[in-house]
Amino acid sequence: MRRSTALVITIAAAAVFTTPLLLFLAGGRSDPSLENRALAETPELSPGRLLDSSFYREISAYFVDRVPLRDLGVRADAWIDFHVLGDTPNQRDVAIGADGWLFNPETYTAVCSDALPSPEAVVSGADLLMSVLAASGRDVAFTISPQKWTVYPERLGDLAPLAACAQGHATELRDALLTDPPEGYVDTWGVLLAAAQDGESVYFRDDTHWNYLGAAMGAEAIVEHLWPGWWSDDDLVFGPPEERAGNLARQMSLSITETHTPVWVERDGVTVDSSKQRVAKNTPKVELIESTLADGAEVPGGLTVVLGDSFMEFTMEEHLAPYTRSLVAVNWRAIGRSGSLANPGGRPVLNAEDYLLDRIAEADAVIVQTVEWESWQRLTSMRLTSLLVDRLSDGLPHEDVAATDITVLPGDEGDAAGRRFLIVRGGEGRFTVELLHRDDPAADWEEIGSTASLRDGLAVVDLRDAPAGGEVAVRLKRLDPASVTLLRLVTI
């Protein structure tokens, strides 16, 4: 190779490797919204971390996510994969079905597990959660938003065999919901299925969510359940068609869009204003939506709390808020991180949990929504239900008991009395509540179970498995009975 040629190659290679670095140092960055995911966070710098190998991995991840010109290369690679090879450039998050419809594969692979709770357990968990809210005097609505492939199975195409297991679980879950509906159940699932069968388009092609029309249909069912007669199709406004890039398209780093017509509610004399706030670090922002009423205008709902997921982001402000004085929307992911079938509650976020509990305690109505595939983990965890039993116990049927070394609990009044919980508050740390039983006063106590405290100073014991005959008592471990501030039996 001639020296001149070698020099040109060396200069070109140096330019390729140094140009992004120089642009980065000059303040240039790649498009942060490129892949629809959170970028690597800024590494925490401290003298002690200079010898920590993870520090340098964090620096590398931070730079790679933001290096200038990276977005151009990613977009070019994605375009070739999708438009030339007919493949997905992000196989982990996006799968291609029939007619170019996009799906999130996790929605049909995560539930194909031997550890999956039974549909009856999911429905029972939902019923207990909503029963606690209803028994405390609140108007309640509960709904499960179906997956896109559940509503449009024909759009799966070659993905159908991969989703067959999940489709079976979906059928079983829907049957269980219809056989024994949870308290406050609203069948948005059925509404969307019927619309799809009538040829309506109620889900985005390039997104995991229902579209604007599907969101409006779901909202109508919820409003009519909570405030019958208030929904009017005359209040629906259809905007001009607009181009929209779906979350799945963006996860493939593609700039493809689809045309959809926005749909929202406008009610005479009702003005809706929204804002957001973050109640805990690195969690979704809480939506705060207030309605201003002109003279003579009315809304049926007072303070309404929504616990839901990203599906509700399409309908909270646009369709539900115009029927309320104020609406507070909290995302499931704000109160628990990294939930899974093995760990249904995820890692709790205490600040966000407390915020949600406080708002529910003030609320006139509560709406709970979850997307179908995550219902298995969210509704089989007892954590939120237990915290609500404690937070709302003043308004629930209850009986306070004096704590002793071994506290004998009042007898159950039978099946008609409902499900009983024991709340123990006291101390500053963690403790355990042992459940004891004996057939008669002359017999020795036998331990039949134990419950660890939910938080420092708080335990909620589910007594559903306590024997019906004989005597039932509790013994506190690592907690002095003299420090107990409340020992309360609650019946739901």
Side-chain angles (χ1 to χ4, degrees), residues 116-117 122 333 338-341 343-345 373-381:
L116 195 70
V122 176
R333 299 187 188 279
S338 303
S340 66
L341 293 176
N343 179 22
W373 75 279
E374 291 193 296
S375 65
W376 307 92
Q377 64 193 44
R378 291 171 176 167
L379 300 175
T380 52
S381 169

Side-chain angles (χ1 to χ4, degrees), residues 306-368:
V306 177
L307 175 61
D309 52 39
S310 53
F311 273 70
M312 294 305 284
E313 294 176 5
F314 288 85
T315 193
M316 293 178 306
E317 181 178 352
E318 290 77 4
H319 311 113
L320 295 176
Y323 297 92
T324 71
R325 281 294 253 172
S326 58
L327 185 147
V328 176
V330 180
N331 193 300
W332 282 97
R333 299 187 188 279
I335 63 172
R337 298 191 182 107
S338 303
S340 66
L341 293 176
N343 179 22
R347 179 162 58 91
V349 183
L350 301 186
N351 288 348
E353 278 185 342
D354 288 336
Y355 179 87
L356 174 64
L357 295 171
D358 289 344
R359 298 294 78 74
I360 287 177
E362 302 167 349
D364 302 294
V366 180
I367 300 169
V368 177

Side-chain angles (χ1 to χ4, degrees), residues 6-51:
L7 179 60
V8 170
I9 293 175
T10 301
I11 294 173
V16 168
F17 287 107
T18 61
T19 298
L21 177 60
L22 293 174
L23 290 173
F24 183 88
L25 294 174
R29 298 292 187 269
S30 64
D31 182 0
S33 64
L34 175 65
E35 297 166 88
N36 193 35
R37 63 175 176 85
L39 301 182
E41 296 183 3
T42 305
E44 182 180 346
L45 179 61
S46 64
R49 300 203 67 201
L50 295 178
L51 300 178

